[in-house]
Amino acid sequence: MTSLDPRTQSPRPGVSRGEGQGPSRHDRALAWAVAALAAIAAAYTACFAVMDTDIWWHLAAGRVMVEERRWIFADPFAADTLGRPWVDVHWLFQVLVYLLHCWGGIAALVVAKIALIGLGVGLGVRSLCARLARPLWLPAAVTVVAMLYPARHLMLARPTVFTLVTMTLMLLIVERVRREGRLRWAFLLVPVQVVWANLQGLYLLGPAILACFVVGDAAASWLARQVSRPARVPSRRVLLGLAALLPVMVLSSAITPYGFHGLRLPLVLFGRIDAVAGQVFSREVSENISPWLLERATPGELSAFKWLAALTFLSFLPAFARGFAALPKLCLVTLFFVLALLANRNILLFLWIAGPILAENLAVLVPAAFARDRGNRWLRRGLALGAAFGLVALGWGRMREARGEPPIGELAPFRVPEQAVDRFLALGLPAGPIFCSDRYGGYLAWRLYPRSQPTMDGRLVLRSAQGYAEHLALGEHPEDFDAYRRRHGIRTVILPSAYPDRFLPLVGWLYRQPSWRLLYTDGTQTLFALDEEGVLRDHELDLTAPQTVRAILAELETRYGLQPIIHDRARLHLARLLAEIGATGPAEELLAALPGTTAAALRARVAYLAGDRARAEAMAKSLLASQPNEIESLCLLALLSRERGDPQRALSLVQQALEVDPFHPLATQILDQIRRDLATTAR
């Protein structure tokens, strides 16, 4: 067994031993320049407006802690969990983002996010440069950034960005301890772990990362002895020291305001995800859906993940041809790959870890003479030129994608009910619980605390599976809402009619109830108030009136007129809402001017709702002829088959739709109806 220390360290990939001794000042400056370039590229990839809806309850919690100078131990926000114990391990993140928001608003949160992404990538690339030949620095940096690009939509202003940086710091510390054999550096892991435990619930990944290196190095040493081959692993003293640090890191995670109660939270979160979406938290929370299921619902969105994962694992083959030194990193990659398979939110963690490892593994393929042989000068230049071209291509792709996005100082469209809350406050509606979706609840807590409480928000860890399922079911079974609102004293409803649209049936039901008033909508958000006395009649919106539709369209033109893609999407949402409440004429008129498959499918549904079954069927079949897996058309034909008394045909069509998207709300609703029909027939 060979100790891994400066005296026995083998040359960097692509570098002879003589060249690997002590980098010059020029080399160090160049390495930092490459790291800075990678940091800027990664930051640009993550530069987009705030889309995450959980950030609002984080901000609300931070405001409570800063203004009231106390930690939060019981839920102060949601009506259905008010006073329930809350282990808020994100408290430090919440305080930091609230202070940032006070200083610079939403734009400051985005700037801080991209700065942290850039910092983590920059530190990782700088460490990579210390282990690779100089001609490989730029290709390695581009590899790291390119690996992250498919997961750019997951780079949100949420505690995960701190997890990315702390993972990088831990890897740098462990690598240095293993390389230099100086155990005193390992004690830096403890304060990093303590800070991490107060930022996000994924902090147990810290001990898991260290365990991967300890187990991997121990296994490499054992395997080397079995085959009588030298193994470049840390000394036994270092291995035992790192192993002894594992329980210390776990126990140090209890240094939070919540003590050992905080240690239970990651296990609770982990228990709420599964790869087959067999429970409501995995099935209904989009971030918890496994990538292989999500790829079926939205083909192409995560297709790069499987190929990048395969490339990462294959890259270990040349590394293992030289020995077992890469075994710890194989353990590390495997750990994060399993997490990514369980929930698509973890794909970013996997690609963050895998990028530098892939670059280092591929560097083994480069011969040592590559860095010093003058005959390879043009090859080196070609490699650098290819890397530069790749970096430009990534930047160009991101630039084209950003054309339809709002500035970072504005909110991403359709995510939060900003205008509905403005209307709620302007009308002076009474305080109390507000029925809403979980995506809206955090924003309502931010804008309306302590005056009113949402019934639901994104802190699903506070809720049981049964309670969450009951809440979601009201969207599909609005006839149960009246009993629910009486039980909870609800007089106000703020719901999305898009993103997600699962509550659209409830929106339509509320619109048709004489005691409920629609007080605001723009087609994506709705505000209803219970008005049995009729005092709000003058403020009610009549969506069947042409002047009301014109006023909404004028508002959308003012808001999104300079963003044609978003403007078309907003009008599409309005048309869907109009169709749902029975205003099929205005909906069809609005859809006539809108392009795209979604508009075509909605035109068929509008014809169906208007009673023109023959035209609806013809339009749906025409669309399916060019796009056989168009879900809305499949659902429409299933509805028509069910109405004609052909449940088997309807079942076949809806099953085809569910093969594309296993969680499509309308398809699952139709499937339940067909099953009830078949059960009734059997009796």
Side-chain angles (χ1 to χ4, degrees):
M1 183 176 70
T2 306
S3 176
L4 226 173
D5 59 45
R7 295 183 299 279
T8 61
Q9 186 177 358
S10 65
R12 292 175 290 172
V15 184
S16 68
R17 182 178 293 277
E19 285 185 308
Q21 304 293 328
S24 65
R25 181 179 300 178
H26 175 266
D27 281 351
R28 287 194 295 269
L30 183 61
W32 279 113
V34 171
L37 181 63
I40 293 170
Y44 180 60
T45 298
C47 186
F48 49 82
V50 170
M51 296 191 301
D52 180 43
T53 54
D54 283 351
I55 188 63
W56 303 106
W57 59 261
H58 285 303
L59 284 169
R63 178 177 58 195
V64 169
M65 286 183 277
V66 171
E67 294 182 353
E68 300 181 15
R69 299 182 182 276
R70 64 179 179 89
W71 283 305
I72 299 175
F73 293 96
D75 181 18
F77 300 128
D80 59 340
T81 55
L82 203 63
R84 185 173 297 176
W86 181 21
V87 181
D88 184 19
V89 295
H90 306 91
W91 74 270
L92 182 56
F93 168 81
Q94 292 160 352
V95 169
L96 292 174
V97 294
Y98 174 68
L99 294 175
L100 267 175
H101 187 273
C102 290
W103 173 68
I106 289 296
L109 302 184
V110 178
V111 171
K113 176 196 70 172
I114 64 176
L116 286 170
I117 294 287
L119 174 64
V121 169
L123 290 176
V125 169
R126 178 61 184 88
S127 175
L128 200 57
C129 290
R131 303 192 296 275
L132 299 180
R134 187 169 62 186
L136 300 178
W137 291 354
L138 185 59
V142 175
T143 299
V144 171
V145 177
M147 286 284 283
L148 293 175
Y149 192 81
R152 61 196 178 280
H153 63 287
L154 295 172
M155 298 180 186
L156 303 171
R158 60 191 314 170
T160 306
V161 294
F162 283 101
T163 285
L164 298 175
V165 176
T166 50
M167 285 197 310
T168 297
L169 290 176
M170 286 199 163
L171 289 171
L172 296 181
I173 295 169
V174 173
E175 289 279 17
R176 182 161 189 172
V177 172
R178 295 172 69 245
R179 184 174 64 250
E180 299 181 1
R182 299 177 182 176
L183 268 176
R184 65 175 180 269
W185 285 100
F187 290 100
L188 290 175
L189 294 171
V190 176
V192 173
Q193 181 67 23
V194 171
V195 173
W196 193 355
N198 288 276
L199 285 168
Q200 200 203 12
L202 288 175
Y203 58 83
L204 286 184
L205 286 176
I209 289 172
L210 181 58
C212 285
F213 281 98
V214 171
V215 172
D217 281 328
S221 176
W222 181 83
L223 288 171
R225 289 196 301 270
Q226 300 305 306
V227 297
S228 301
R229 291 182 61 180
R232 294 182 58 253
V233 297
S235 66
R236 185 183 299 274
R237 180 183 66 87
V238 171
L239 272 179
L240 290 176
L242 291 176
L245 199 59
L246 280 170
V248 176
M249 290 182 65
V250 173
L251 291 175
S252 68
S253 302
I255 305 178
T256 73
Y258 307 94
F260 287 101
H261 292 289
L263 288 175
R264 179 176 171 269
L265 182 65
L267 303 178
V268 173
L269 295 174
F270 185 76
R272 292 192 167 193
I273 59 176
D274 61 77
V276 296
Q279 56 170 304
V280 66
F281 295 111
S282 289
R283 186 172 60 251
E284 303 295 349
V285 180
S286 59
E287 297 167 337
N288 287 345
I289 299 174
S290 63
W292 63 277
L293 287 175
L294 193 62
E295 177 65 14
R296 287 166 56 184
T298 53
E301 183 175 342
L302 297 173
S303 58
F305 164 66
K306 57 179 178 286
W307 300 113
L308 293 176
L311 180 61
T312 300
F313 282 106
L314 287 174
S315 72
F316 282 95
L317 295 178
F320 279 122
R322 299 190 175 192
F324 303 107
L327 196 56
K329 291 184 178 178
L330 177 61
C331 293
L332 193 64
V333 167
T334 303
L335 167 67
F336 282 91
F337 180 67
V338 171
L339 292 175
L341 286 182
L342 290 174
N344 72 88
R345 70 165 73 198
N346 296 327
I347 287 177
L348 176 59
L349 303 180
F350 169 77
L351 295 177
W352 184 274
I353 289 289
I357 293 175
L358 173 65
E360 192 169 7
N361 285 347
L362 293 179
V364 174
L365 298 173
V366 180
F370 176 79
R372 52 184 172 82
D373 189 353
R374 291 182 177 275
N376 287 321
R377 180 174 55 186
W378 290 107
L379 183 58
R380 294 199 301 271
R381 290 178 178 176
L383 191 61
L385 185 62
F389 176 79
L391 199 61
V392 171
L394 290 173
W396 177 254
R398 180 69 189 99
M399 187 182 301
R400 291 186 61 188
E401 185 184 62
R403 288 176 182 173
E405 297 177 357
I408 62 172
E410 298 179 7
L411 300 180
F414 318 134
R415 300 288 173 171
V416 294
E418 183 178 13
Q419 290 76 26
V421 173
D422 289 343
R423 186 65 171 161
F424 174 91
L425 294 172
L427 291 174
L429 295 181
I434 300 175
F435 184 82
C436 62
S437 71
D438 55 331
R439 293 180 182 270
Y440 276 7
Y443 185 77
L444 297 183
W446 167 246
R447 291 287 305 275
L448 301 178
Y449 173 84
R451 172 179 173 173
S452 297
Q453 304 83 35
T455 55
M456 178 68 63
D457 58 37
R459 297 168 303 148
L460 299 181
V461 71
L462 293 177
R463 292 161 179 85
S464 66
Q466 180 181 355
Y468 186 45
E470 179 187 9
H471 169 82
L472 295 176
L474 292 172
E476 299 174 4
H477 302 284
E479 64 276 5
D480 297 332
F481 180 75
D482 197 51
Y484 180 90
R485 74 95 185 162
R486 291 179 187 276
R487 190 163 66 247
H488 295 280
I490 295 169
R491 299 186 62 84
T492 307
V493 173
I494 299 181
L495 283 174
S497 52
Y499 291 112
D501 60 1
R502 66 158 51 251
F503 289 101
L504 195 54
L506 177 57
V507 169
W509 183 87
L510 288 169
Y511 182 82
R512 291 186 287 270
Q513 302 306 303
S515 56
W516 285 91
R517 310 286 182 197
L518 175 64
L519 302 178
Y520 178 81
T521 187
D522 61 358
T524 63
Q525 53 186 301
T526 57
L527 167 65
F528 289 92
L530 183 65
D531 183 33
E532 296 169 319
E533 300 81 13
V535 297
L536 295 172
R537 185 177 292 109
D538 292 341
H539 301 286
E540 184 177 17
L541 296 182
D542 179 6
L543 294 182
T544 62
Q547 62 270 24
T548 302
V549 177
R550 285 196 296 268
I552 296 174
L553 288 173
E555 179 186 350
L556 296 178
E557 174 69 30
T558 301
R559 198 184 308 164
Y560 303 125
L562 299 178
Q563 301 168 293
I565 296 176
I566 298 175
H567 189 203
D568 283 351
R569 201 177 303 160
R571 290 186 292 171
L572 190 68
H573 296 324
L574 176 59
R576 188 185 300 274
L577 175 60
L578 291 173
E580 184 65 33
I581 60 98
T584 53
E588 193 163 5
E589 182 181 345
L590 184 54
L591 286 169
L594 295 177
T597 300
T598 305
L602 187 53
R603 280 194 288 270
R605 179 163 177 79
V606 170
Y608 169 80
L609 293 173
D612 193 344
R613 302 295 200 261
R615 187 163 66 97
E617 184 174 14
M619 295 170 71
K621 287 182 176 179
S622 174
L623 190 55
L624 285 172
S626 58
Q627 300 186 45
N629 288 326
E630 206 288 308
I631 297 180
E632 297 295 332
S633 298
L634 289 170
C635 289
L636 180 55
L637 293 179
L639 283 171
L640 290 169
S641 296
R642 177 175 176 264
E643 290 178 359
R644 290 172 182 156
D646 188 356
Q648 295 302 329
R649 173 63 175 162
L651 183 62
S652 174
L653 288 164
V654 79
Q655 286 176 341
Q656 184 180 345
L658 289 170
E659 286 177 2
V660 180
D661 183 356
F663 313 109
H664 192 273
L666 180 58
T668 54
Q669 183 180 1
I670 297 171
L671 180 61
D672 289 341
Q673 293 170 349
I674 295 171
R675 285 174 174 169
R676 286 197 296 269
D677 293 343
L678 293 173
T680 302
T681 304
R683 287 197 297 268

